[in-house]
Every structure is written in C-alpha cells, then in structure tokens.
Amino acid sequence: MEDVRDLIQIMTRRFGFLNKNCCSVGGVNLSVVQSQILYEIDRQHKPSIQQVAEALGTDITTFSRQVQSLMKMNLVKKTPTPEDRRVFELSLTTEGTFVAATIDQQMNAYLNEIFSHMNDFERETVIRSVKLLNKAMSKAGQCCAPTQG
C-alpha cells in the first residue's frame, strides 16, 4: 500500500497550504488561515466570532488575532449584536467581499484546471473519494492533538 501520509503531504504542498501567503489580491497578501476566515464569513450570514472559530476548529485567542489583522486590512468588520452587545458578529467589508470573491474565482479556476486533466469518471471518483474522506475524518479524533498525561 502506498504511503498515505506522503500522498497527503504532497497534495498539501501543491495546494500551497504551507506557503506563508496563499493568496494575493490587489496588493493584499493573505495567509491560508486568513483566506479560510474570509471564506467562512462569506459562507455564513453574519456569523459570530465563536461560530467561525468553531467552524475552522481554532482556538478563540488565535482566531481573534487573525480577525484583528483582517480588520486592519479593511477586509472584515466586527459589530456587536443587537440582542447581546458582548457578542460580535463578523461581516466582510466591500473590499473583503471583493477579495473573497477573487480568491474563490482563483481557486475554482485552479480546480477546473486540475480536473481538466481527468476524464469524467476520474473526476467523479476523486470528488466521491474526497467526500468519503471528509466524512470519515469528521468521525475520527483530532490529528496531532496534545496528549493528556
């Protein structure tokens, strides 16, 4: 059997997940984490800070720092909810919406290019396999979690 970890490592490198900056849009350089935050804010409708942090599986302290940096770049705004002024919801600014849409277009173009090198059966097999892998991963424990002792 092939070394699965090696296959995942190669895919991770080819997607650029290890790069300091994954995306550059109009002079704005974003890390993979920042790109994921924009994606989640765009995907959810005015999510709370906690909702996005949970969706990304990151601790709230690290997440808050990333949100602050995105606010300084004028990509994200944080607004207290009317129901509870201690809870903040996140939304994209006009510039943030543009950056998120541009990244989405770039990723879709890249995926389309990748899939253009496959026939329909191969493409469907890969998509079905990724769905199966995601489902199995959702049932498994967390990778590289600190050990309790």
Side-chain angles (χ1 to χ4, degrees), residues 66-78:
Q66 292 293 340
V67 168
Q68 288 297 330
S69 68
L70 290 168
M71 289 171 61
K72 286 179 186 170
M73 290 188 242
N74 194 34
L75 301 178
V76 170
K77 57 186 171 189
K78 184 170 81 168

Side-chain angles (χ1 to χ4, degrees), residues 2-146:
E2 292 186 64
D3 184 354
V4 176
R5 181 171 180 203
D6 191 45
L7 294 172
I8 300 292
Q9 291 293 117
I10 291 167
M11 188 173 61
T12 298
R13 284 193 300 271
R14 288 190 174 146
F15 264 114
F17 294 148
L18 302 177
N19 299 350
K20 180 181 177 192
N21 294 319
C22 77
C23 317
S24 182
V25 178
V28 175
N29 294 317
L30 296 174
S31 68
V32 172
V33 172
Q34 291 169 329
S35 173
Q36 287 288 313
I37 292 169
L38 292 181
Y39 177 82
E40 281 301 321
I41 293 170
D42 195 34
R43 192 177 72 78
Q44 301 182 36
H45 180 69
K46 294 187 177 182
S48 70
I49 289 176
Q50 190 68 36
Q51 286 172 313
V52 179
E54 286 174 10
L56 296 176
T58 186
D59 72 279
I60 199 73
T61 307
T62 303
F63 181 76
S64 293
R65 279 195 299 270
Q66 292 293 340
V67 168
Q68 288 297 330
S69 68
L70 290 168
M71 289 171 61
K72 286 179 186 170
M73 290 188 242
N74 194 34
L75 301 178
V76 170
K77 57 186 171 189
K78 184 170 81 168
T79 312
T81 61
E83 304 84 31
D84 186 345
R85 311 265 320 147
R86 297 169 297 170
V87 176
F88 290 89
E89 59 189 21
L90 299 173
S91 58
L92 299 179
T93 62
T94 302
E95 188 175 348
T97 301
F98 171 77
V99 169
T102 303
I103 292 168
D104 196 44
Q105 289 170 353
Q106 291 170 349
M107 282 302 299
N108 286 330
Y110 181 58
L111 292 169
N112 286 335
E113 180 187 351
I114 291 168
F115 286 129
S116 75
H117 300 284
M118 299 178 195
N119 63 39
D120 288 345
F121 175 75
E122 292 168 330
R123 191 172 23 257
E124 289 167 14
T125 301
V126 169
I127 292 168
R128 195 169 44 256
S129 298
V130 170
K131 286 178 180 178
L132 183 63
L133 181 63
N134 277 332
K135 185 177 179 181
M137 289 173 77
S138 73
K139 296 175 183 174
Q142 187 173 351
C143 175
C144 305

